[in-house]
Amino acid sequence: MSQQEKVATSLAGAVSAEISASLAEVDAELARRYPGDPGTRQPVHTVYVPGDVFAADTIRSWGDRALGALDEHAPDAASFAAVLGVPEELAVSVHDRVRAKLEREPVEDLRIDFEDGYGPRPDAEEDEAAARAARLVSAAYGNGTAAPYMGIRMKCMEAAVRDRGIRTTDIFLTGLMQAGGLPDGLVLTLPKVTYPEQVTAFVRLLEAFEEAHGLAAGRIGFEIQIETSQSILAADGTATVARLIDASRGRATGLHYGTFDYSACVGVSAAYQASDHPAADHAKAVMQVAAAGTGVRVCDGSTNVLPVGPTHRVHEAWRLHYGLTRRALARAYYQGWDMHPGHLPTRYAAVYTFYREGLEQAAARLAAYVAKAGGDVMDEPATAKALSGYLLRGIDCGALDTAEVARLTGLTRADLDAFATPRRGGLTVSAP
């Protein structure tokens, strides 16, 4: 029988109380600034459609055009996998899931564009387009044809277009309210942000709208587009992007990298503007570090190489898009832009391959962690959080099935949620 150890201390309880009191403000600041991931679904992409092009059937049309591209240029699992380099053992599963996704939910996040993709128009024309967008979005949520997330990108807060951006935002939001209220999936995107004061101004706009309609304070969030060098590094050498998040006063939901505007801003010539350029990697790395723990998510940009024309050109564009998407996923950029229906097959193929090829290893590691079993990898709580997040993102986008994850891990969806968004001070999960 082992002898019970004698426990002795030297410090009075008042010391611990004094230290805790001295850190109370830091504790509160930590909780305010770094609440952690919100635990909500993050779409795998954002589709941008100009305001004058958006129609009631846009989402279904994109799905049908993507399916048509598959039928024409890669009609079966083997040919699709061969083009992209999908592992043979995953070819059928990925192909079938991609087709099912395009039939069921081709677009996860849709932004109706009133900025670069729309351009300058007469005020009366943009007024009408914004009102029409609100009517169609409200109707889509009402009849079940909406994407999980939908909203607009207005013009920015720079002087030349500020009033127009404010008016379009007002018309769109007012139209939604008149049609029944703001949908849960509403997302707004503020482009070309260079100064925190522009974010502060947009917050004031949203506050005024909420007050006018009796909405809860903070009801309307928004994404910040990172498209200028000044949004990464300020004139005084500080990291502007962290100040942009702070200026949003808890309303920022995402940081979206603008591949081509940012590349042009730092002098990258057109032929080399891409999301894997070193300048892009630097910007996104700064965004990622600034957003870590804040609940603000980072979104990659797009490719402007469209999968159109003869089959060999489509295949070249598909391989490029697939590779860029896989590269982004490995770097923890779980969302990107898609600019053409032909990008949807490769977006989902890349996402599904990423999650399916890592399913068994992630599930085994998480199950071993929960069971406190040994193995060839020693994981910690932070890794368990990452493993759960990986599995949850795979489930949310359709790459994985809840039942197969439960079978491999012994965990419920609630268990995975608890690991992915742990409470400070520990968590409890169901027994496997």
Side-chain angles (χ1 to χ4, degrees):
M1 180 182 295
S2 62
Q3 182 177 356
Q4 186 174 2
E5 292 289 343
K6 299 174 84 175
V7 177
T9 63
S10 301
L11 302 177
V15 174
S16 178
E18 179 187 348
I19 290 173
S20 292
S22 72
L23 291 174
E25 290 187 10
V26 171
D27 292 340
E29 186 76 347
L30 181 64
R32 182 183 72 83
R33 289 184 180 274
Y34 303 103
D37 189 87
T40 55
R41 175 182 179 181
Q42 181 180 10
V44 302
H45 68 173
T46 299
V47 164
Y48 279 75
V49 177
D52 58 332
V53 173
F54 176 63
D57 66 346
T58 291
I59 293 174
R60 185 62 265 152
S61 173
W62 271 58
D64 291 342
R65 290 169 65 187
L67 286 166
L70 271 178
D71 290 338
E72 181 177 357
H73 302 293
D76 53 49
S79 59
F80 191 47
V83 171
L84 304 179
V86 175
E88 183 178 352
E89 65 273 16
L90 295 178
V92 173
S93 175
V94 168
H95 175 265
D96 290 352
R97 286 174 183 270
V98 168
R99 290 197 67 93
K101 180 73 168 181
L102 296 175
E103 292 167 354
R104 181 186 74 255
E105 187 184 72
V107 174
E108 292 196 354
D109 184 27
L110 177 70
R111 207 69 71 249
I112 305 161
D113 191 19
F114 288 95
E115 203 228 357
D116 285 348
Y118 185 74
R121 307 287 181 99
D123 282 338
E125 183 178 341
E126 185 161 340
D127 283 355
E128 184 177 358
R132 176 174 167 273
R135 175 175 58 83
L136 292 176
V137 167
S138 181
Y141 277 106
N143 63 28
T145 61
Y149 300 94
M150 296 181 74
I152 64 169
R153 176 172 72 169
M154 68 294 296
K155 290 177 173 64
C156 69
M157 282 288 159
E158 293 178 357
V161 294
R162 182 184 304 137
D163 289 345
R164 182 64 260 180
I166 291 172
R167 182 171 175 83
T168 295
T169 304
D170 185 11
I171 291 171
F172 178 71
L173 293 177
T174 300
L176 291 177
M177 291 298 297
Q178 291 177 338
L182 305 182
D184 291 338
L186 173 67
V187 187
L188 304 177
T189 304
L190 179 65
K192 293 184 175 59
V193 178
T194 54
Y195 282 82
E197 289 80 1
Q198 293 169 326
V199 174
T200 300
F202 196 65
V203 168
R204 177 61 194 127
L205 168 63
L206 299 181
E207 287 175 341
F209 188 88
E210 289 166 351
E211 292 166 3
H213 289 272
L215 297 171
R219 165 65 181 85
I220 309 172
F222 62 96
E223 302 163 335
I224 299 170
Q225 269 198 288
I226 305 301
E227 301 180 271
T228 66
S229 62
Q230 296 90 344
S231 61
I232 294 295
L233 190 69
D236 63 0
T238 59
T240 315
V241 66
R243 296 167 58 199
L244 300 181
I245 294 174
D246 190 52
S248 75
R249 296 171 64 178
R251 291 178 185 263
T253 58
L255 300 173
H256 282 228
Y257 176 68
T259 304
F260 305 104
D261 281 291
Y262 187 89
S263 297
C265 182
V266 297
V268 179
S269 59
Y272 298 95
Q273 293 178 358
S275 62
D276 59 350
H277 189 280
D281 284 340
H282 171 260
K284 286 179 286 188
V286 175
M287 291 161 60
Q288 189 174 49
V289 172
T294 66
V296 179
R297 289 157 167 170
V298 175
C299 176
D300 199 5
S302 62
T303 175
N304 60 358
V305 179
L306 304 184
V308 296
T311 294
H312 75 276
R313 291 190 180 276
V314 171
H315 287 180
E316 289 173 358
W318 274 355
R319 281 190 287 269
L320 173 65
H321 185 240
Y322 179 88
L324 290 173
T325 303
R326 286 301 309 265
R327 183 180 189 273
L329 290 167
R331 285 159 174 75
Y333 309 135
Y334 300 115
Q335 184 178 356
W337 294 7
D338 286 329
M339 312 302 289
H340 187 274
H343 286 143
L344 300 186
T346 39
R347 169 67 62 181
Y348 292 121
V351 170
Y352 290 1
T353 303
F354 175 75
Y355 288 113
R356 293 211 64 79
E357 68 184 9
L359 168 60
E360 292 190 3
Q361 183 185 58
R365 287 176 66 179
L366 186 56
Y369 175 85
V370 173
K372 294 180 170 54
D376 59 355
V377 178
M378 182 177 291
D379 287 325
E380 297 185 353
T383 306
K385 176 180 177 180
L387 291 167
S388 296
Y390 173 89
L391 296 172
L392 286 168
R393 285 189 295 272
I395 291 170
D396 285 342
C397 71
L400 310 177
D401 298 325
T402 303
E404 68 177 335
V405 173
R407 174 175 55 80
L408 291 170
T409 62
L411 301 174
T412 67
R413 171 72 192 234
D415 293 334
L416 294 174
D417 285 332
F419 273 118
T421 55
R423 299 184 298 276
R424 292 192 185 277
L427 59 85
T428 302
V429 299
S430 305

